[in-house]
Amino acid sequence: MRAKTLADSTKQSTQSLYIQKLVIAYNGNKTTEIFMEKVHTTCIYCGCGCGLFLHVENNRVIGASPSPLHPMSRGRLCIKGWLAGEFVGHPERLRHPLVRQREMFVRVPWEEALSLTATRLKEISRESGSESVGILTSAKGTNEENYLFMKLARAGLKTNNIDHVARLCHAPTVAGLGYAFGSGAMTNPISSLKEADAILVVGSNTTEQHPLIASYILKARARGAELIVADPRRTQIADLASIWLAPRPGTDIAWINALQNFIIQEGLTDEDFISTRTEGFEAVRQAVSVCTRELSERVSGIPAKDLKEAALAFGSAERGAVVYAMGITQHAAGTDNVQALANLVLMTGNIGREGTGLYPLRGHQNVQGACDMGALPDLYSGYQKVDLAREKFAEAWSTSLPEEPGQTALEMLESALEGRLKGLLIVGENPMMSYPDRTRIKKALEALEFLAVCEIFPTETTDLADVILPAASFAEKDGTFTSTERRIQRVRRAVPPPGEARAEWKVARDLLRRMGVAADYSSAADVMDEIARVTPIYGGVAYDRLDLKGLQWPCPSRDHPGTGILHSEKFSIGRARFRAVEHCEPFEAPDEEYPLILTTGRSLYHFHTGTMTRRTSLLEREVLQPTVEISPDDAKRMNIRNGQRVEVETRRGSICLEARVTQNVPAGTIFVPFHFCEAAANALTAQALDPKSKIPELKASAARIRRAKG
Ligand SMILES: Nc1nc2c(c(=O)[nH]1)N[C@H]1C(S)=C(S)[C@@H](COP(=O)(O)OP(=O)(O)OC[C@H]3O[C@@H](n4cnc5c(=O)[nH]c(N)nc54)[C@H](O)[C@@H]3O)O[C@H]1N2
Ligand SMILES: Nc1nc2c(c(=O)[nH]1)N[C@H]1C(S)=C(S)[C@@H](COP(=O)(O)OP(=O)(O)OC[C@H]3O[C@@H](n4cnc5c(=O)[nH]c(N)nc54)[C@H](O)[C@@H]3O)O[C@H]1N2
Ligand code: SF4
Ligand SMILES: [Mo]
């Protein structure tokens, strides 16, 4: 008998766009039926926000595949997306609530863990004041979770001490573009990039960190668009560029101002746009008039002729777009860096049209959403200021709310060191690995009287907790994520959580109730309904509207289709604001003792502190061990060979790892990714903060390197 092909024997038993049930009947000697389900959801890793299906068999995730109809990813995923399901079923998942008893973690019922968390935080707040407690919430969590933890801090604990890793990421964007445009969000949809005639990419390793966004940039490049990349390292996107500018880390304002000066001199500004849609240009014109290309060359190391070429290419483009990420924001001058780029797109009139715009690439898959939900010490959901919106929220939640803005993430930990902050709840962050100056962070967390951590895996941070609350992962709960293009998309429960692990919207709800705040939610959709009621930019969002495409905010009402391009007619603040900025040296300049600049970041295969990607076999196989990138010149001078073990040291600490000698970093700069606990980059970094946004300078520290002993 002819063996049946898979096609013969595959029946689609139900077919909806979101959940496809397949019955595969294998017809060999006997018939075996396998039930497989494909559940449509959103990738857990980066801010691109690709759509994918999780494949489920016997209540286990067995794989993932791209969503062909997704408006941005269109049937494509990067390698992390294809493997996004693997960590879900990992045997090390946290399965039960745990409480520390005499240096041991002991399993306790949920009731006990929740009551202990609520009681301890409330007790501390009663005894030492509400500013002695705080919450760090998660850019890995859903919007609904972030909203409820924001509510828990404000309504439950009566504090505005609520923040999350956006503080280490795009806080300068929220502050800088909030001032310049009235909104810190990406101005255009990702797809708009393919229509640009010139794209300037600054401090973004786009092909590795935002692969799907890179695909749109490369589409424009293939069409003949100019691609200018400014990165001290020769990244893949720098390699593909028409012009590569390699500034010394921490010198971007110097060259961006000089670029603007040349654009102004050449008459390449958009005078009409400047006069009708902006204010404050004259001050910028004056400030940059002294920034010559020669001066920029001395400060940044970028040859004057390359800068001229870049200025002509960008300035003469009909549609110019500017893309940036951590190379711009993670500096003590982060907010000024962002403003410098805002000045550039404003003076060239590159805003509000297809193919133009300013693209801050949000990192975590839901860091945009966590900010939108008001997991920030000075803002409620939808960027409503604490002082202006307090009464509105007090009425909506039928409770009293705190007046003073709270502390930012690093300020909270600094308060802990000083004994002022005593109780902390951390939801889905791993500060022991991701925050700068690890020794100091450890001291701060150890100084707390009470620390609760809600996580999916044991981490360096859960090690220090008094209570560990096991969370459901993205594959095990309902909710929404908002991607970097402001696209609010569904996350769907595909499998049950392991053991007793729970979706955090339930955890937050139960903590709210224990603190006497009404929390009447029976599903994540109920939470979204409340978000929509109190958050004008999410006003028209409801689960029944979030089909395969999601919705881009602002979406103020049920009949509003969502917004692709922002600021097309006018800015929410009326006119956009120029602000003059000037270069100042990074907090820690290299010197005789520490002659190199250490810059830190990421690689394609791993995500941050590695909790998920280092539990994904194919990804872990790609990068066998941590390395420090060093230029051939420096390596020769310091007698270091490729593959040798070296010690990298700063004034904060030292780590040992393998040297990778490469032309891709310039002489004088070394690069270490922060994924690896065995060589934690944040043992080296400092807590030098940008005064405007309180982001730490993670991209420039003075360092030295030598062959490791033994
Ligand atoms: N694979 C993977 N993807 C990710 C992540 C991950 O961990 N792994 N994380 C996500 C998150 S949260 C984020 S925020 C993004 C980050 O995405 P990116 O910001 O693209 O990544 P980074 O490696 O932090 O830094 C980007 C580049 O900045 C350059 N740089 C350093 N200093 C300077 C400087 O002073 N000036 C300029 N012009 N450039 C400089 C570095 O050489 C580096 O190539 O990635 C997201 N995507
Ligand atoms: N030196 C240096 N340091 C940096 C940076 C840098 O470039 N250089 N970049 C900074 C930036 S941009 C960022 S965004 C931060 C990232 O810093 P973090 O956000 O602290 O890093 P992650 O490893 O992504 O931590 C997220 C945690 O959430 C957990 N998790 C995943 N899903 C869930 C869930 O559904 N629920 C719960 N409760 N937990 C979950 C994961 O296991 C993981 O431990 O690092 C910052 N630190
Ligand atoms: S590009 Fe980002 S969102 Fe898309 S599959 Fe890769 S990690 Fe996931
Ligand atoms: Mo980030």
Side-chain angles (χ1 to χ4, degrees):
M1 202 176 76
R2 181 179 72 89
K4 276 197 172 183
T5 63
L6 199 63
D8 290 335
S9 56
T10 302
K11 297 183 284 192
Q12 303 242 313
S13 55
T14 53
Q15 174 74 281
S16 88
L17 280 174
Y18 317 117
I19 300 182
Q20 303 176 358
K21 288 187 198 299
L22 261 58
V23 184
I24 302 170
Y26 177 68
N27 216 346
N29 285 338
K30 63 179 193 311
T31 306
T32 323
E33 284 191 333
I34 303 168
F35 294 88
M36 202 187 85
E37 219 173 54
K38 284 170 58 176
V39 180
H40 196 273
T41 189
T42 305
C43 179
I44 183 64
Y45 287 116
C46 87
C48 290
C50 298
L52 56 78
F53 287 100
L54 287 176
H55 299 190
V56 179
E57 197 186 289
N58 292 330
N59 275 335
R60 289 180 33 137
V61 177
I62 55 159
S65 62
S67 161
L69 299 178
H70 190 271
M72 191 286 299
S73 53
R74 297 177 182 273
R76 298 165 302 163
L77 296 172
C78 81
I79 185 161
K80 291 186 300 306
W82 280 100
L83 300 172
E86 192 178 322
F87 73 82
V88 172
H90 196 280
E92 284 166 16
R93 283 289 302 279
L94 291 167
R95 306 167 73 86
H96 306 284
L98 301 170
V99 167
R100 181 189 297 277
Q101 284 175 5
R102 283 190 235 99
E103 292 316 299
M104 294 266 289
F105 282 112
V106 185
R107 192 171 145 179
V108 296
W110 264 107
E111 289 302 300
E112 190 179 326
L114 288 168
S115 293
L116 183 66
T117 304
T119 318
R120 286 299 285 128
L121 290 173
K122 273 306 230 190
E123 267 172 15
I124 293 173
S125 157
R126 227 184 354 262
E127 284 161 16
S128 309
S130 58
E131 63 288 357
S132 64
V133 291
I135 301 182
L136 292 174
T137 181
S138 181
K140 276 276 157 274
T142 61
N143 287 323
E144 293 74 3
E145 290 158 6
N146 275 287
Y147 175 82
L148 288 188
F149 283 111
M150 181 279 278
K151 182 166 177 176
L152 182 68
R154 292 179 163 135
L157 294 169
K158 310 290 179 199
T159 178
N160 284 312
N161 286 345
I162 168 118
D163 206 5
H164 72 287
V165 287
R167 192 62 52 196
L168 306 153
C169 189
H170 273 291
T173 300
V174 175
L177 298 190
Y179 175 83
F181 301 161
S183 162
M186 193 155 121
T187 62
N188 290 43
I190 294 166
S191 61
S192 200
L193 281 167
K194 71 178 193 305
E195 310 300 335
D197 301 318
I199 304 177
L200 171 63
V201 175
V202 193
S204 153
N205 181 2
T206 332
T207 58
E208 295 198 47
Q209 299 344 136
H210 293 93
L212 266 288
I213 294 179
S215 77
Y216 283 92
I217 296 176
L218 296 178
K219 264 189 196 154
R221 178 90 182 100
R223 246 190 46 240
E226 291 279 0
L227 175 59
I228 308 153
V229 174
D231 195 306
R233 298 160 62 223
R234 190 172 185 114
T235 55
Q236 190 180 34
I237 192 106
D239 231 12
L240 296 165
S242 34
I243 304 170
W244 171 41
L245 310 173
R248 261 195 321 116
T251 62
D252 291 282
I253 291 179
W255 69 264
I256 297 169
N257 275 355
L259 185 95
Q260 293 175 16
N261 187 17
F262 188 69
I263 284 176
I264 293 170
Q265 282 170 12
E266 291 293 301
L268 296 172
T269 50
D270 184 338
E271 293 300 324
D272 188 39
F273 187 88
I274 294 171
S275 65
T276 56
R277 306 240 5 228
T278 71
E279 63 189 38
F281 177 60
E282 207 32 55
V284 170
R285 186 203 298 270
Q286 273 175 26
V288 303
S289 66
V290 294
C291 303
T292 60
R293 273 164 289 146
E294 292 66 33
L295 181 64
S296 142
E297 177 164 345
R298 273 205 301 285
V299 177
S300 70
I302 296 174
K305 71 165 188 11
D306 292 359
L307 197 75
K308 177 176 167 185
E309 211 186 315
L312 285 174
F314 189 83
S316 54
E318 171 62 29
R319 286 161 304 185
V322 176
V323 172
Y324 72 90
M326 297 301 103
I328 274 292
T329 57
Q330 288 175 337
H331 288 285
T335 310
D336 286 356
N337 281 349
V338 168
Q339 180 74 45
L341 293 177
N343 291 346
L344 176 64
V345 296
L346 288 176
M347 74 173 61
T348 50
N350 278 309
I351 205 110
R353 288 179 289 131
E354 186 76 89
T356 68
L358 189 50
Y359 300 72
L361 305 186
R362 291 309 197 103
H364 267 295
Q365 96 294 356
N366 197 36
V367 70
Q368 179 68 55
C371 290
D372 297 349
M373 292 303 109
L376 298 166
D378 53 343
L379 299 168
Y380 280 92
S381 58
Y383 306 93
Q384 302 174 80
K385 293 210 170 71
V386 159
D387 49 351
L388 302 177
R390 188 172 62 97
E391 278 177 23
K392 165 182 163 177
F393 278 85
E395 198 181 312
W397 295 342
S398 314
T399 188
S400 65
L401 292 172
E403 274 177 45
E404 288 301 309
Q407 297 173 34
T408 61
L410 280 160
E411 287 173 337
M412 277 193 242
L413 295 188
E414 198 55 29
S415 297
L417 263 181
E418 292 163 8
R420 286 183 287 118
L421 189 99
K422 297 182 169 147
L424 186 63
L425 167 61
I426 300 179
V427 187
E429 283 195 2
N430 189 9
M432 272 295 295
M433 282 284 296
S434 58
Y435 284 33
D437 197 349
R438 182 174 216 235
T439 312
R440 211 172 165 77
I441 297 297
K442 181 152 188 265
K443 278 194 198 136
L445 293 176
E446 283 174 345
L448 292 166
E449 282 175 22
F450 178 76
L451 172 63
V453 181
C454 182
E455 250 293 344
I456 60 170
F457 282 118
T459 66
E460 295 74 11
T461 304
T462 59
D463 282 352
L464 302 180
D466 297 296
V467 178
I468 302 176
L469 305 169
S473 77
F474 84 114
E476 300 148 356
K477 58 193 175 193
D478 287 311
T480 54
F481 294 155
T482 305
S483 77
T484 188
E485 59 174 355
R486 296 172 271 110
R487 193 180 293 281
I488 305 154
Q489 317 192 85
R490 273 302 308 274
V491 178
R492 288 188 179 80
R493 180 180 153 120
V495 292
E500 297 176 277
R502 268 188 200 172
E504 293 99 311
W505 68 263
K506 292 184 188 163
V507 175
R509 174 195 64 187
D510 294 351
L511 288 172
L512 275 165
R513 287 176 179 165
R514 279 175 172 73
M515 293 183 195
V517 182
D520 205 11
Y521 316 103
S522 55
S523 67
D526 287 349
V527 185
M528 182 50 86
D529 291 343
E530 180 173 318
I531 294 170
R533 279 198 299 280
V534 295
T535 314
I537 55 174
Y538 277 61
V541 180
Y543 279 17
D544 61 7
R545 293 193 66 196
L546 299 178
D547 59 11
L548 288 179
K549 296 193 174 66
L551 275 172
Q552 285 178 286
W553 67 256
C555 175
S557 59
R558 288 278 317 190
D559 54 2
H560 193 286
T563 309
I565 299 179
L566 295 180
H567 320 304
S568 50
E569 303 291 313
K570 68 180 202 15
F571 293 91
S572 62
I573 47 173
R575 283 166 175 266
R577 300 182 188 129
F578 279 98
R579 181 168 67 80
V581 292
E582 58 185 73
H583 168 72
C584 52
E585 280 297 305
F587 156 77
E588 208 181 45
D591 55 20
E592 248 168 51
E593 235 184 313
Y594 296 93
L596 300 171
I597 305 176
L598 163 75
T599 186
T600 61
R602 308 163 156 74
S603 73
L604 168 64
Y605 298 103
H606 283 304
F607 200 85
H608 295 162
T609 71
T611 56
M612 297 175 292
T613 48
R614 296 197 78 188
R615 289 187 174 91
T616 302
S617 52
L618 279 175
L619 296 174
E620 183 61 354
R621 209 176 63 187
E622 288 293 336
V623 189
L624 294 175
Q625 54 173 322
T627 54
V628 48
E629 293 181 9
I630 179 168
S631 73
D633 282 1
D634 290 332
K636 196 166 160 203
R637 232 163 6 98
M638 288 157 201
N639 198 13
I640 290 167
R641 271 179 293 117
N642 192 34
Q644 203 161 40
R645 273 190 82 70
V646 294
E647 184 184 4
V648 178
E649 199 185 349
T650 67
R651 290 187 174 85
R652 269 72 53 194
S654 72
I655 57 173
C656 282
L657 70 180
E658 200 176 273
R660 201 164 89 76
V661 179
T662 164
Q663 304 271 12
N664 294 348
V665 289
T669 299
I670 55 175
F671 173 79
V672 181
F674 75 106
H675 309 303
F676 303 94
C677 55
E678 59 273 40
N682 281 319
L684 306 173
T685 49
Q687 298 192 348
L689 303 188
D690 170 16
K692 297 194 178 73
S693 70
K694 308 291 164 82
I695 194 172
E697 185 141 63
L698 297 164
K699 289 284 186 266
S701 315
R704 64 185 173 210
I705 187 168
R706 59 170 169 241
R707 295 162 74 150
K709 296 194 190 84

